[in-house]
Amino acid sequence: MKVFQAMKKHTAKSLEQQIEKLLAKLTLDEKLCLIRGRTDFNTGDVPRLGIEGIRTSDGPQGVRLEDGRTTTALPCGQALSCTFSPKSAEKAGRLLGRECRALGVQALLGPGMNLMRTPLNGRSFEYFGEDPRLCGETAAAWIAGLQSVKVAPCLKHYCFNDQEADRTIIDVECPDRAAREIYIRPFEIAVQKADPWAFMNSYNKYRGQWTSHSAYLNDILCKEYGATGAMIPDWGGVHGMPEAINGGTSIQSSTKVDPARDKRELKLLAEGKIDRARFDDSVRRALRLYFRVGAFDADDPKERALQKRCEESFRSQEHQDLARRAAEEGFVMVKNDGLLPFRGKTVAVVGPLVEVKHAMSDKDTDLRWHGGSGAVKAAREITPLEGFRRVFGEENVITGANAAEVAAKADIVV
């Protein structure tokens, strides 16, 4: 059995002791491996000590795999926040965690926690609304559900990624008070209520500095608020190893091992140009993440039993029903002005999207049309038109290319 392969469940104190024990056994080269990526979606490993890389996956609305396998599609973040129900959010997180484990994924790149500040933001559907408290409370519950089955979240994008246009190059200016009370506040709530295991730095700059290099921003989370999770920049979001480590970055997942570059960086470390305390803190946070997702618990009977339960529930009817209930709870009617009940009425379903699947169908390959990293290749999905026909009866639902003509024949138009 490999060193540390038989680590068991531990208290917070014993966890930190185990981390320090393992840290002392790592060489500098191995430490560098741990804070690198091994593949696009796998973190680094140290075979000598039995440390295998953590597999990550996109998917705030469902686990999105690069190999095309289908998973359960949940309502998007905007819809989930409209439930105003932390309980529903926690159930959604637990569902995602179970499907992650069934697929061999140990860290899910979500939830999306930026705010809907402009309707032109193409990622707004992923986020939990426009109110910082609603976002933070919903996210905290979602995170608790995911972590309950030992899958790590990666809260994104910290922070100010509230537009998609030029998001990799823009330089955000924001007063301290607005930053803390609006844009950072959801992350603060999540730290206080759920102690997330990982965070993702955004691509943009803040006051002239890349967020992944910003000790100011990262220290707000880690030193002021007490976040214990790993800081992981968005893929390609690191613009220099010394700057990233000195700024508080933990794991550079998209930066692969490169012997020549690593040799240069070890030289920078020896010369004091990379802060040694920051460097070791990066490794500690990486190790903490490995322990938390059960990387050393493969032989634990409780771990095997949990894994079996997750595999048995994967894409089950229970998961489909939970996703549907969450979507239903996200609908809010402010006033019923004669619209309900529908019974006995004809419904006109019109528009170019009535027969379009909004998640990815089995034939879809281009992520750009389905939400990018927020896309889900759904195990089951029906179109809006099919949904209305199922509920109201095919004879009561009319549709057609001429919207005005169709609408004139119906009691209700959607």
Side-chain angles (χ1 to χ4, degrees):
M1 183 177 291
K2 297 289 187 179
V3 179
F4 292 97
Q5 194 65 37
M7 292 295 181
K8 303 302 179 184
K9 188 174 181 179
H10 24 245
T11 64
K13 183 178 179 180
S14 68
L15 171 61
E16 297 308 311
Q17 291 171 341
Q18 297 289 3
I19 289 169
E20 292 304 316
K21 186 178 179 181
L22 187 48
L23 184 68
K25 291 181 176 289
L26 293 166
T27 66
L28 282 176
D29 285 328
E30 289 169 341
K31 288 179 179 180
L32 275 177
C33 286
L34 279 182
I35 62 175
R36 297 285 198 212
R38 183 164 53 85
T39 67
D40 280 344
F41 285 93
N42 284 75
T43 63
D45 56 359
V46 180
R48 181 179 72 88
L49 296 176
I51 303 175
E52 298 181 359
I54 293 172
R55 185 180 182 186
T56 66
S57 173
D58 278 323
Q61 283 76 232
V63 188
R64 185 183 71 80
L65 298 176
E66 296 293 314
D67 59 14
R69 281 180 288 174
T70 60
T71 57
T72 302
L74 283 163
C76 68
Q78 287 282 336
L80 193 60
S81 69
C82 286
T83 66
F84 297 96
S85 170
K87 185 176 181 180
S88 293
E90 184 176 1
K91 288 180 179 178
R94 191 177 298 111
L95 182 158
L96 288 168
R98 289 195 295 258
E99 299 218 342
C100 279
R101 290 192 60 122
L103 293 163
V105 172
Q106 294 152 301
L108 189 64
L109 305 180
M113 292 180 59
N114 298 114
L115 300 177
M116 188 175 178
R117 308 301 290 169
T118 167
L120 302 180
N121 182 2
R123 299 288 288 279
S124 285
F125 73 95
E126 292 185 52
Y127 304 147
F128 296 133
E130 60 188 26
D131 179 81
R133 182 178 176 187
L134 175 62
C135 177
E137 297 281 353
T138 306
W142 189 100
I143 293 161
L146 191 76
Q147 292 180 170
S148 72
V149 289
K150 298 179 75 171
V151 174
C154 191
L155 285 58
K156 62 185 189 184
H157 310 83
Y158 181 72
C159 53
F160 307 113
N161 186 173
D162 302 282
Q163 69 176 60
E164 284 298 287
D166 299 322
R167 68 176 177 144
T168 60
I169 59 173
I170 61 169
D171 188 355
V172 176
E173 291 290 336
C174 181
D176 280 340
R177 181 173 179 181
R180 288 173 178 271
E181 294 184 3
I182 300 174
Y183 300 99
I184 299 176
R185 179 61 176 152
F187 296 91
E188 179 187 9
I189 294 171
V191 169
Q192 292 171 340
K193 296 203 167 189
D195 191 13
W197 296 348
F199 303 81
M200 182 189 292
N201 296 103
S202 55
Y203 282 122
N204 51 273
K205 292 181 179 179
Y206 176 59
R207 296 179 178 175
Q209 189 175 38
W210 301 109
T211 62
S212 60
H213 299 181
S214 175
Y216 172 76
L217 285 178
N218 291 330
D219 284 353
I220 288 175
L221 279 188
C222 298
K223 293 187 176 180
E224 289 190 37
Y225 300 158
T228 60
M231 304 301 296
I232 307 174
D234 208 339
W235 272 230
V238 169
H239 301 267
M241 169 73 161
E243 297 86 349
I245 294 298
N246 292 340
T249 287
S250 305
I251 301 174
Q252 302 167 50
S253 289
S254 58
T255 307
K256 309 300 187 302
V257 173
D258 179 332
R261 185 197 54 226
D262 292 350
K263 185 176 180 179
R264 292 193 300 270
E265 291 170 353
L266 288 173
K267 185 173 181 290
L268 293 172
L269 189 62
E271 293 172 349
K273 294 178 181 177
I274 296 177
D275 186 285
R276 185 57 182 264
R278 289 276 191 179
F279 178 76
D280 281 345
D281 183 63
S282 296
V283 181
R284 283 190 187 91
R285 288 177 183 271
L287 289 172
R288 192 176 293 124
L289 180 60
Y290 280 72
F291 275 101
R292 282 170 159 173
V293 299
F296 306 111
D297 296 336
D299 295 328
D300 190 318
K302 291 183 179 179
E303 186 75 7
R304 291 199 298 269
L306 174 59
Q307 182 66 29
K308 183 179 179 180
R309 290 197 299 273
C310 291
E311 291 171 355
E312 289 173 347
S313 67
F314 177 57
R315 294 189 319 188
S316 62
Q317 186 62 48
E318 176 193 0
H319 281 195
Q320 298 299 322
D321 293 344
L322 192 154
R324 176 169 180 161
R325 284 196 299 272
E328 290 172 348
E329 290 174 13
F331 286 91
V332 179
M333 174 170 279
V334 178
K335 181 180 180 182
N336 180 19
D337 193 13
L339 180 65
L340 297 179
F342 281 129
R343 189 177 294 109
K345 296 179 180 178
T346 56
V347 181
V349 184
V350 298
L353 302 179
V354 298
E355 293 191 82
V356 172
K357 288 187 175 181
H358 294 270
M360 298 175 68
S361 70
D362 289 336
K363 297 180 181 180
D364 294 327
T365 57
D366 195 335
L367 291 175
R368 292 176 299 172
W369 305 112
H370 297 276
S373 61
V376 183
K377 189 176 280 293
R380 305 175 196 173
E381 183 181 3
I382 62 172
T383 65
L385 179 60
E386 184 182 352
F388 277 100
R389 283 173 171 166
R390 286 188 184 186
V391 173
F392 303 114
E394 192 162 346
E395 69 281 3
N396 294 322
V397 177
I398 56 177
T399 189
N402 190 323
E405 184 177 301
V406 172
K409 301 176 182 178
D411 299 312
I412 302 166
V413 180
V414 294

